[in-house]
Amino acid sequence: MSAPDAVPALVIGAGPAGLMAAETLAGAGHPVVIADAMPSPARKFLMAGKSGLNLTKAEDPAAFAARITGSAAPHVQAALMDFGPDQVAEWAEGLGITLFRGSTGRVFPVGMKASPLLRAWLARLESRGAVLRRRWRWTGWLDGGARFETPEGPRVISAGVTVLALGGASWPRLGSDGAWINVLAGAAVPITPLAPANMGFRVDWHPAMARQFGQPVKGTALRAGTLASRGEWVITPAGIEGGAIYEIAAALRAGAGGTVDLAPDVDTGALAARFGKSRGSLSLGNWLRRCLGDPVKVALLLEWGGPAPTASPADWAARAKALPLRHAGPLGLARAISSAGGIAGHGLGPGFALTALRGTYAAGEMLDWEAPTGGYLLSACLATGRAAGLAAAAELARA
């Protein structure tokens, strides 16, 4: 193994948090090396952009920050108060990306893709002297430096400051596999076990539900614990997924019972009146379709509410307004949109410094926080990367 290379600043991980930390360090005049295990950077960021890159959400900064939960939430919320939705939008526009705001306040690039933003971002980093090392997999420390497995063999980097931005463990094939947990736990960094976040849930459907697979569920209201959502979700062969499910996923994962209101814009009395109309010669399914107006809702009512042919109109209405959301637990971490858990809040100092490791900071999904989809995740990764970069730059300035 060659002698360690010495650099002022090292960022490990080239996702949004790591790139923002590197940009902040480079902007402060510090040469920075970015090391990433994958052949190309920000793969999960690019994957998110395939369905329309939701950068942030135009919302009151305090309300936005309040959507962050987890033991590291106070640190993340503070970072968002310094670099929130408005600042994220300004940053993207500074890269030449034109944005638009949707009806729900979500903010997207006009082109809806992540790749133009990433190209401009990498070009700016290169212009500021940042160096990206690809296929460099971090394996821990050796003789005070960061050890990497590289295509050229083992390498060690000795850095004045290091920012870790290795992600959580959702979609591991895109680069974030959680392998860093054992390394940090061995260095006395407190870790909250990783768990899926913004994930779907398994459902053991009856065979009759097969015809609904792939169908969107619209016009419902979901509730679990203190969380509630309106919006679209999807019935899949494995269970249920989609934005409205993700909004209440944390409560469901924690064991709260979930309910579905199949007619949130109709009060119970009016709905009971619909069920009170004569069924005549209609089959149960056709009669329920006439009452609810949607075959997908009927299928869910029969699946989770039971046929109950002798139920009164009031019983049918009550069942449709608070249908039990029956599931068999969350789908796996590998398919989750994001992950909860990670570096616990009590292991962090100012600027996301790791109290157990001098000169080392962490950012992004490595930290124990979670938030719903809708711009919160990406904004928080950017904000924590910036905060860690600022703190690391300040440490270098003091040296």
Side-chain angles (χ1 to χ4, degrees), residues 13 41 70 86 90 93 135 137 147 170 176 178 191 222 242 245 303 321 327 336 371 383 386:
D86 291 344
E90 291 170 5
E93 290 169 342
R135 295 189 174 91
R137 179 173 293 278
R147 186 183 188 279
S170 62
S176 298
I191 301 292
L222 306 180
I245 297 296
E303 176 74 12
K321 294 291 287 181
H327 64 88
R386 176 180 175 272

Side-chain angles (χ1 to χ4, degrees), residues 6-398:
V7 301
L10 173 65
V11 174
I12 305 177
L19 294 179
M20 182 57 84
E23 180 177 352
T24 305
L25 280 157
H30 302 294
V32 58
V33 170
I34 310 163
D36 194 84
M38 303 300 285
S40 56
R43 290 197 165 191
K44 189 176 177 184
F45 177 73
L46 290 172
M47 177 72 142
K50 287 186 176 181
S51 58
L53 182 66
N54 186 186
L55 274 173
T56 190
K57 184 177 182 181
E59 190 173 42
D60 173 76
F64 189 98
R67 300 304 300 272
I68 308 298
T69 59
S71 70
H75 300 271
V76 179
Q77 289 165 346
L80 281 166
M81 294 306 291
D82 285 337
F83 194 80
D86 291 344
Q87 290 75 28
V88 168
E90 291 170 5
W91 165 81
E93 290 169 342
L95 287 168
I97 305 301
T98 303
L99 306 177
F100 77 93
R101 188 173 79 179
S103 59
T104 62
R106 296 183 179 188
V107 178
F108 303 85
V110 166
M112 297 295 286
K113 300 298 182 184
S115 50
L117 188 154
L118 180 60
R119 284 195 297 269
W121 197 2
L122 292 174
R124 185 157 76 185
L125 282 164
E126 184 178 6
S127 73
R128 293 181 177 179
V131 176
L132 175 61
R133 302 295 188 192
R134 306 166 192 259
R135 295 189 174 91
W136 278 41
R137 179 173 293 278
W138 180 62
T139 59
W141 288 278
L142 181 67
D143 298 330
R147 186 183 188 279
F148 296 90
E149 294 296 334
T150 81
E152 294 76 34
R155 296 288 297 275
V156 176
I157 299 287
S158 176
V161 293
T162 300
V163 178
L164 302 176
L166 290 148
S170 62
W171 290 94
R173 66 183 180 83
L174 301 179
S176 298
D177 58 10
W180 50 267
I181 286 180
N182 289 337
V183 177
L184 293 188
V189 176
I191 301 292
T192 301
L194 293 178
N198 291 299
M199 65 293 187
F201 287 79
R202 298 190 308 274
V203 179
D204 299 323
W205 301 114
H206 289 102
M209 284 295 292
R211 69 187 70 179
Q212 307 299 335
F213 293 165
Q215 291 298 312
V217 185
K218 302 179 180 181
T220 64
L222 306 180
R223 184 174 297 278
T226 61
L227 302 179
S229 67
R230 293 281 299 261
E232 192 169 308
W233 44 293
V234 181
I235 297 170
T236 73
I240 50 178
E241 297 192 49
I245 297 296
Y246 304 153
E247 283 274 342
I248 63 169
L252 291 175
R253 186 189 64 216
T259 60
V260 184
D261 184 344
L262 296 174
D265 299 319
V266 181
D267 66 38
T268 303
L271 191 58
R274 292 186 188 180
F275 285 114
K277 294 180 180 179
S278 174
R279 175 175 163 182
S281 61
L282 292 173
S283 68
L284 178 62
N286 285 334
W287 174 67
L288 291 173
R289 187 179 305 178
R290 177 177 292 182
C291 297
L292 292 173
D294 184 339
V296 178
K297 292 181 180 180
V298 171
L300 287 169
L301 181 60
L302 293 174
E303 176 74 12
W304 286 338
T310 61
S312 69
D315 290 337
W316 277 116
R319 194 167 306 190
K321 294 291 287 181
L323 185 67
L325 192 160
R326 305 187 191 281
H327 64 88
L331 292 169
L333 180 55
R335 282 187 53 84
I337 301 297
S338 59
S339 56
I343 298 170
H346 66 272
L348 298 170
F352 299 100
L354 299 185
T355 55
L357 295 169
R358 185 176 179 181
T360 304
Y361 301 79
E365 277 197 72
M366 293 184 73
L367 307 169
D368 177 23
W369 64 276
E370 63 180 302
T373 57
Y376 302 100
L377 294 167
L378 182 52
S379 289
C381 285
L382 294 171
T384 58
R386 176 180 175 272
L390 287 171
E395 180 172 341
L396 287 175
R398 293 191 299 268

